[in-house]
Amino acid sequence: MRITSYNVNGIKARLPRLIEYLDEVKPDVVCLQELKSSDETFPERDIRDAGYGAIWHGQKGFNGVAILARGADPVERLRGLDGEPEDEHSRYLEAEVDGVVIASIYLPNGNPQPGPKFDYKLRWFERLSARARALLAEERAVVLAGDYNVIANDDDTYSVRAMASDALMQPESREAYRRLLSQGWTDSLRTRFPGGGVWTFWDYQAGAWQRDAGFRIDHLLLSPMAADRLVDAGVDKAYRGREKASDHAPTWVQLR
């Protein structure tokens, strides 16, 4: 089973690139983030025509997550996280596909920091950690896939100095990510590339793609039962270089 996490940065704008990716790579499951689309305008027909079933949790203009499954309809388990009833952001969707529990996650960016957006990021992280703990208690194969908006280690960015004041690299953000991992989750890409230096995001500004000035913020975390099935993990970097591409590259894990 090949599971891809893909922040599309606007599904309507990137639909040709997404369909292209589905056709060429044929991943079994794709977790999408940053749809920037309401539920009503999600392009379900195009995705079904490409051979994928889908569930989605949209929001007009920003946020939004979805889970696609090749030749099947994901069985929804949960949308949204407990803890803040007034939070209307569409950032979490959980489903079951072929016996594996899979979540598509779009964690808050948190900039500018300090400030209310950074505070919200840290609260959301705690809510995610609570859900992750509950999932581990089920003792099943679980994959938490998405854009975590966290540069976890110094070697996960082209320049520590350039990102030093960014919410993605603050000590509080990193500590929240480490606390999540310490529950018993495996960072699949880090396991595959322990030396770092692998990027999943390149900004549109300042020629970041051309300079390979990227960083790693898209993560696929595996429960112990999923980690036992880990075959490989990687980044389909070439898709970031295509015309009108997302600023993220598809990032994936392969399980037995």
Side-chain angles (χ1 to χ4, degrees):
M1 177 183 279
R2 183 175 172 125
I3 301 165
T4 295
S5 180
Y6 195 1
N7 180 320
V8 290
N9 191 17
I11 192 166
K12 285 176 278 190
R14 314 297 168 211
L15 189 59
R17 298 289 79 79
L18 173 60
I19 298 302
E20 196 172 68
Y21 183 75
L22 298 178
D23 181 58
E24 293 175 3
V25 179
K26 295 180 172 57
D28 298 290
V29 180
V30 182
C31 295
L32 302 177
Q33 300 89 37
E34 211 170 351
L35 303 177
K36 298 182 180 178
S37 166
S38 67
D39 283 337
E40 295 74 24
T41 57
F42 182 83
E44 179 183 13
R45 177 172 292 180
D46 297 274
I47 287 168
R48 288 199 176 277
D49 287 348
Y52 285 76
I55 60 172
W56 59 94
H57 182 25
Q59 186 173 346
K60 185 178 180 180
F62 61 115
N63 301 328
V65 285
I67 300 175
L68 319 183
R70 187 158 60 97
D73 288 316
V75 179
E76 183 173 327
R77 288 171 44 110
L78 181 68
R79 60 177 53 209
L81 292 173
D82 293 336
E84 289 193 37
E86 69 281 6
D87 183 7
E88 297 181 349
H89 285 199
S90 300
R91 295 183 176 275
Y92 185 90
L93 186 61
E94 181 182 302
E96 184 171 333
V97 180
D98 245 353
V100 179
V101 177
I102 300 167
S104 183
I105 295 164
Y106 181 44
L107 213 128
N109 177 284
N111 283 306
Q113 68 82 30
K117 290 186 176 181
F118 190 62
D119 295 340
Y120 170 62
K121 177 192 186 89
L122 298 180
R123 293 198 311 272
W124 203 95
F125 230 133
E126 289 305 311
R127 292 160 60 198
L128 174 62
S129 292
R131 180 59 188 165
R133 198 174 295 111
L135 287 170
L136 284 178
E138 295 187 27
E139 296 187 349
R140 298 187 59 184
V142 183
V143 180
L144 303 181
D147 176 0
Y148 284 69
N149 270 314
V150 174
I151 299 170
N153 309 281
D154 285 356
D155 57 14
D156 286 324
T157 176
Y158 76 101
S159 171
V160 171
R161 182 177 178 180
M163 299 304 296
S165 63
D166 197 284
L168 277 61
M169 220 175 76
Q170 293 311 296
E172 298 92 336
S173 304
R174 288 180 159 186
E175 178 57 29
Y177 184 75
R178 291 190 182 112
R179 282 200 304 269
L180 176 60
L181 286 182
S182 71
Q183 295 178 0
W185 298 93
T186 294
D187 181 335
S188 56
L189 204 61
R190 189 75 185 178
T191 300
R192 177 66 178 81
F193 301 98
V198 176
W199 320 142
T200 66
F201 171 91
W202 296 259
D203 203 308
Y204 291 129
Q205 306 299 318
W209 169 249
Q210 291 77 10
R211 296 186 294 117
D212 197 27
F215 41 84
R216 184 176 79 104
I217 54 175
D218 301 273
H219 310 305
L220 295 102
L221 305 188
L222 311 180
S223 70
M225 288 187 68
D228 286 344
R229 296 169 55 180
L230 175 61
V231 176
D232 201 2
V235 181
D236 289 326
K237 181 178 177 180
Y239 284 86
R240 171 61 180 85
R242 298 198 178 184
E243 185 180 359
K244 296 182 180 177
S246 170
D247 43 9
H248 293 250
T251 305
W252 55 270
V253 64
Q254 185 176 339
L255 306 180
R256 292 185 185 88

